[in-house]
Amino acid sequence: MDSSRLKIVVFGSFHAGKSTFIHAIDPASRHIEAECGETTTTVALDYGRAMVNDLHIHLYGTPGQERFEFARKIIMQGMDAALLMVDCTCAVDAFTKDIYHDLMDSQIPLGLVLNKCDVTESCPAMVRRELPGNTNIYEISAKDPSSAREALGRFVEDIAKNR
Ligand SMILES: Nc1nc2c(ncn2[C@@H]2O[C@H](COP(=O)(O)OP(=O)(O)O)[C@@H](O)[C@H]2O)c(=O)[nH]1
Ligand SMILES: [Mg+2]
């Protein structure tokens, strides 16, 4: 692992707030939509950069739907850490739980981003119960760029302790 750069991949269901989060961190981030193969299927992903302390952070947002497993596999190559974005305004879906367990089983440092905490009905406590066992948890509203940046900064510091 290059000690001055970190590749962080952002996972999460469609609509969890991945694009909003990456754009909040890096207003110059790119949202990329690519046609794949002979089908009309479009894969959407995001890419943004940030500096945290002296580290160059490269953030990659993955496509959320299950059928984009192949694209997630490619984007995941060489990742140093992962963030799982969860929408706290609704029940935790099976896709999010599956990704959570897969990432927990891997050796990759994982942070849980509990998003949309600005919404009155949001229930981050429920998400914590549904996705137990991880200590890097950040409650944010990706609509508030400062809370997104603070969560990323804390995550990078948290994982730097174990590098
Ligand atoms: N209230 C609220 N809405 C949010 C927040 N983050 C994202 N959204 C909204 O949720 C929807 C999905 O966000 P998006 O970033 O496109 O999700 P993605 O599919 O995971 O990339 C959009 O309408 C966003 O404006 C948040 O923290 N609070
Ligand atoms: Mg998106």
Side-chain angles (χ1 to χ4, degrees), residues 45-139:
L45 57 106
D46 304 274
Y47 172 69
R49 291 181 299 182
M51 285 295 289
V52 175
N53 302 331
D54 288 333
L55 282 173
H56 295 267
I57 310 294
H58 298 266
L59 279 174
Y60 292 81
T62 55
Q65 293 95 330
E66 243 148 292
R67 64 182 188 278
F68 294 134
E69 172 79 13
F70 73 97
R72 281 189 296 276
K73 285 258 157 67
I74 294 167
I75 298 168
M76 280 167 71
Q77 284 172 19
M79 75 174 163
D80 299 304
L83 286 172
L84 177 58
M85 187 77 43
V86 189
D87 180 345
C88 295
T89 65
C90 51
V92 181
D93 56 65
F95 175 75
T96 300
K97 287 181 187 171
D98 286 348
I99 289 197
Y100 179 71
H101 294 299
D102 286 351
L103 290 169
M104 286 291 280
D105 288 345
S106 75
Q107 298 303 310
I108 301 291
L110 171 66
L112 263 185
V113 183
L114 310 189
N115 192 32
K116 307 195 186 183
C117 290
D118 57 298
V119 179
T120 321
E121 307 81 53
S122 69
C123 191
M126 176 266 296
V127 177
R128 285 171 184 260
R129 278 195 302 276
E130 293 283 311
L131 304 176
N134 187 289
T135 50
N136 299 324
I137 304 176
Y138 316 95
E139 294 186 10

Side-chain angles (χ1 to χ4, degrees), residues 12-20 22 31 33 44-46 61-64:
S13 287
F14 178 68
H15 225 251
K18 301 177 297 293
S19 298
T20 307
I22 292 173
H31 178 79
E33 299 200 351
L45 57 106
D46 304 274
T62 55

